[in-house]
Amino acid sequence: MERVRPYGIGLFRVVVSLLFAMHGAASLFGVLGGARGNAATIPFAQWPGWWAAAIQLAGGVLVLLGLGTRWAALLCSGSMAYAYFVVHQPAALVPLKNGGELAAMFCWSFFLVAIVGPGAWALDTLLPAARRESRPLKA
């Protein structure tokens, strides 16, 4: 099982970040159903919705590519923690009652990626190897 661990983590990272990026793209550009499923967009620079969507898209793409993965995942996790406690939690404590299941799941999923790293198929793991291979050997 240890041999497949990086691939499982990589697949988890790719799926979660793709869903996150799609959520941001929907809110920013009105694609994939748009913001809140009504084909609308969030007005430019509107706090906090537009900024959250920008983090979702940019952070989701960075984590998807595995580029700056731990920092991008931590930013994504923090934005979802903010969404949960500021937007959802005031309505009720439990996510099932306040509609915050998605925010909670994304928050903890990205926190896990920030802790365990990107897994397989990440640019973070490919780029350092490429730099090592391109360095001249010392005599």
Side-chain angles (χ1 to χ4, degrees):
M1 285 307 262
E2 285 300 313
R3 290 187 323 171
V4 299
R5 174 178 277 175
Y7 303 103
I9 293 168
L11 186 59
F12 178 81
R13 171 185 54 81
V14 166
V15 169
V16 169
S17 61
L18 180 62
L19 293 170
F20 199 62
M22 289 169 57
H23 193 74
S27 298
L28 290 174
F29 307 119
V31 297
L32 306 168
R36 296 179 254 327
N38 62 9
T41 61
I42 298 174
F44 179 74
Q46 182 184 52
W47 180 260
W50 187 89
W51 297 98
I55 290 171
Q56 290 164 7
L57 180 58
V61 168
L62 286 172
V63 174
L64 174 67
L65 295 173
L67 191 58
T69 307
R70 290 180 190 259
W71 289 108
L74 193 60
L75 176 66
C76 293
S77 176
S79 74
M80 289 295 97
Y82 177 89
Y84 183 78
F85 287 110
V86 171
V87 176
H88 298 285
Q89 194 273 329
L93 180 61
V94 180
L96 289 172
K97 292 207 173 234
N98 66 26
E101 303 97 327
L102 196 58
M105 289 295 291
F106 275 131
C107 176
W108 287 106
S109 296
F110 281 112
F111 189 68
L112 178 65
V113 171
I115 297 298
V116 300
W121 313 301
L123 291 179
D124 284 344
T125 58
L126 297 175
L127 294 177
R131 281 187 290 228
R132 277 195 308 273
E133 291 171 6
S134 67
R135 273 191 289 175
L137 296 174
K138 292 185 179 182

